[in-house]
Amino acid sequence: MAKGEITNLSVFDVRFPTSLDHHGSDAMHTDPDYSAAYVIIETDASDGLKGHGFTFTLGKGTEIVVCAIKALSVHVIGKQLKDIVSDFRGFYRQLTSDSQLRWIGPEKGVIHLATAAVLNAVWDLSAKQEGKPLWKLLVDMEPKQLLSCIDFRYITDALTEDEALEILEKAKSGKAEREKYMLKHGYPAYTTSCAWLGYSDERLRQLCTEALEAGWTRFKVKVGADLEDDIRRCKLVREMIGPNNIMMLDANQRWDVKEAIDWVSKLAQFKPLWIEEPTSPDDILGHATIAKALASSGIGVATGEQCQNKVMFKQFLQASALQFVQIDGCRLASINENLSVLLMAQKFQVPVCPHAGGVGLCEVVQHLIIFDYIAISGSLENRMCEYVDHLHEHFKHPVVIKNASYVLPKEPGFSSEMKEDSLQQHKFPDGKVWQELASKP
């Protein structure tokens, strides 16, 4: 039972210097410092539990998200947690519909990233108070209770609340068996860690060899900067992983529409399952054109990590502009908005393969995709969750991978709590890590 009045909301600018080793590098983001605007919520409840949440950034600009979170805090401090949880839809709408703050959105950009961080912290606290990992909290909720968390405004032309209820009711059959399956086998993952764009061929070979030895069968390759280089690197990876393992490509929004079609057509010889973010993440019709052009090659289009809200996902699905939905635990407004996208994806029968390339993203999105399999989709066909092998050591309850699958989290909460020492060391700009880097010539 949710309890306590929220008495404090703290927010921190936390950055990790991943650009030094080219971790996370791609065709558009060549020097990312994986970062987070990190929120801690406290209440006056006697249990002393705190809610931890964050949104993901790439370094510069995190301070802007921090300012937006502080602006939203007036809607949080002084609230009773039980009142939030009993009317999650209303609380979501309060955060997204502030009559002045929504002008710098609405429901997109910096203010939406800030909303995600706040809501993630609230969900973490709620799950901790219930003594359940978040995936289990969601699985155990009745369909109508789940739907009460979703704001259906703007999406009822694609999914009504009655249709969503029907999906959840239908999925009740076999839930217990699917939960047992997940507990035994985990959720299938793919790795992006082998083929960041800034890695040398030698490093790529070494990481592919290690991944194959560890049992990985699904590999993503960053492309888009130079065609001849892409051909060489894709050939290298395909030779390393063999003809039967799965390869995906990710251009991170590099191309125009025609350029994307021409470029990917030249990479089709390497049999990729999908091309991810081939053009602007806002260009729904452009994605649809690319998807139609590549269909004969058996290459799907995947996108979503920078899809700004549920309305855009709605239109991507309506336009048949993507064959793989890539939700993100920190781009959309937390569980509330992601639930609506999972349900729309199920209605349109498009598989969900979450994005998790960033600090803490694996930790949080695992809960969503595990819940999706158990309580919504009931399918693992063409479904997998991204995994990157970076920065997990900074979390109190990091993800566990076994046999190239996510092991289900058992600790209460959203797996979103950073270790205190890591937080202090990496606060920007006064954490020890950043002070030492600043002192170097």
Side-chain angles (χ1 to χ4, degrees):
M1 177 66 181
K3 56 185 180 292
E5 178 184 315
I6 297 174
T7 55
N8 191 48
L9 186 156
S10 305
V11 57
F12 304 89
D13 183 336
V14 186
R15 306 188 192 186
F16 300 87
T18 49
S19 62
L20 297 177
D21 294 311
H22 303 289
H23 301 320
S25 54
D26 62 52
M28 289 294 278
H29 313 95
T30 56
D31 59 347
D33 284 327
Y34 278 4
S35 305
Y38 183 69
V39 171
I40 302 176
I41 287 176
E42 300 173 71
T43 76
D44 61 4
S46 59
D47 56 25
L49 295 172
K50 299 177 182 180
H52 300 78
F54 58 87
T55 193
F56 172 62
T57 53
L58 293 184
K60 286 181 287 188
T62 309
E63 71 278 10
I64 303 172
V65 185
V66 167
C67 288
I69 291 169
K70 290 178 179 178
L72 287 172
S73 67
V74 298
H75 296 294
V76 182
I77 296 172
K79 285 272 196 305
Q80 293 290 329
L81 187 63
K82 64 178 177 59
D83 293 338
I84 292 175
V85 172
S86 65
D87 184 23
F88 237 137
R89 180 184 297 175
F91 182 64
Y92 173 94
R93 187 169 287 196
Q94 184 178 359
L95 290 178
T96 58
S97 298
D98 180 295
S99 64
Q100 294 182 9
L101 290 175
R102 76 181 306 275
W103 190 257
I104 55 172
E107 296 183 60
K108 56 181 173 285
V110 168
I111 198 66
H112 215 45
L113 293 175
T115 302
V118 170
L119 284 168
N120 282 343
V122 172
W123 277 103
D124 178 60
L125 179 57
S126 177
K128 285 175 178 174
Q129 287 194 354
E130 293 291 337
K132 297 178 181 181
L134 188 56
W135 68 265
K136 180 62 171 169
L137 177 71
L138 295 173
V139 165
D140 289 347
M141 290 170 71
E142 287 297 317
K144 288 186 178 180
Q145 187 181 4
L146 282 167
L147 296 182
S148 73
C149 300
I150 300 172
D151 185 355
F152 282 87
R153 182 165 60 180
Y154 306 138
I155 63 170
T156 55
D157 56 320
L159 178 75
T160 66
E161 192 163 347
D162 286 342
E163 288 173 323
L165 180 61
E166 184 179 349
I167 290 170
L168 291 171
E169 291 288 356
K170 183 179 179 181
K172 279 185 172 182
S173 176
K175 266 181 69 173
E177 290 76 14
R178 291 193 294 273
E179 183 173 338
K180 289 177 183 176
Y181 181 90
M182 280 285 103
L183 287 166
K184 182 177 181 179
H185 298 284
Y187 197 92
Y190 73 86
T191 179
T192 305
S193 299
C194 299
W196 295 115
L197 203 62
Y199 285 0
S200 66
D201 287 0
E202 180 182 2
R203 191 172 192 183
L204 193 156
R205 286 191 185 94
Q206 176 192 345
L207 292 172
C208 276
T209 299
E210 292 173 357
L212 287 164
E213 290 173 351
W216 290 94
T217 60
R218 306 171 184 91
F219 299 78
K220 190 162 77 180
V221 181
K222 296 289 184 174
V223 297
D226 179 89
L227 179 57
E228 294 307 313
D229 188 53
D230 286 349
I231 291 172
R232 190 192 79 256
R233 292 172 72 253
C234 286
K235 184 173 185 290
L236 190 160
V237 172
R238 180 49 81 190
E239 288 174 350
M240 290 288 299
I241 69 175
N244 297 322
N245 286 329
I246 296 172
M247 177 194 290
M248 292 82 70
L249 306 178
D250 186 359
N252 290 96
Q253 315 152 34
R254 179 71 181 218
W255 304 311
D256 284 344
V257 172
K258 185 179 184 304
E259 184 183 18
I261 295 167
D262 293 343
W263 198 302
V264 177
S265 295
K266 292 180 173 67
L267 299 178
Q269 60 183 302
F270 304 109
K271 305 298 181 184
L273 177 65
W274 73 53
I275 176 64
E276 184 173 332
E277 287 198 309
T279 191
S280 165
D282 297 339
D283 189 355
I284 295 163
L285 296 182
H287 277 79
T289 299
I290 295 167
K292 184 177 181 180
L294 296 178
S296 62
S297 300
I299 302 171
V301 170
T303 197
E305 71 180 82
Q306 290 204 358
C307 187
Q308 302 202 52
N309 51 49
K310 62 183 184 286
V311 177
M312 289 192 65
F313 271 113
K314 176 191 74 171
Q315 293 179 352
F316 271 110
L317 290 164
Q318 288 173 323
S320 300
L322 77 179
Q323 286 69 55
F324 300 91
V325 168
Q326 295 181 305
I327 60 168
D328 181 289
C330 296
R331 170 67 61 177
L332 298 184
S334 191
I335 301 298
N336 311 70
E337 191 169 22
N338 271 300
L339 285 174
S340 68
V341 176
L342 292 174
L343 288 161
M344 284 192 288
Q346 178 62 15
K347 179 183 174 180
F348 284 84
Q349 289 294 289
V350 177
V352 178
C353 300
H355 168 251
V359 60
L361 295 186
C362 294
E363 274 70 21
V364 297
V365 84
Q366 63 178 333
H367 292 269
L368 280 159
I369 198 61
I370 290 164
F371 162 75
D372 175 71
Y373 170 68
I374 296 172
I376 297 180
S377 71
S379 173
L380 294 176
E381 184 178 357
N382 271 338
R383 296 168 188 265
M384 60 193 105
C385 186
E386 184 174 27
Y387 175 75
V388 296
D389 190 18
H390 308 300
L391 307 175
H392 302 295
E393 67 273 15
H394 298 291
F395 286 84
K396 189 173 179 180
H397 301 297
V399 294
V400 177
I401 296 290
K402 184 177 179 181
N403 298 324
S405 296
Y406 280 87
V407 176
L408 271 63
K410 295 180 175 61
E411 299 83 5
F414 205 177
S415 307
S416 50
E417 182 175 351
M418 288 186 187
K419 294 177 180 176
E420 182 62 26
D421 183 61
S422 293
L423 175 61
Q424 297 303 324
Q425 294 268 336
H426 292 87
K427 284 194 300 185
F428 186 86
D430 54 352
K432 182 180 178 182
V433 168
W434 293 104
Q435 288 293 306
E436 290 178 350
L437 285 171
S439 67
K440 292 182 179 179

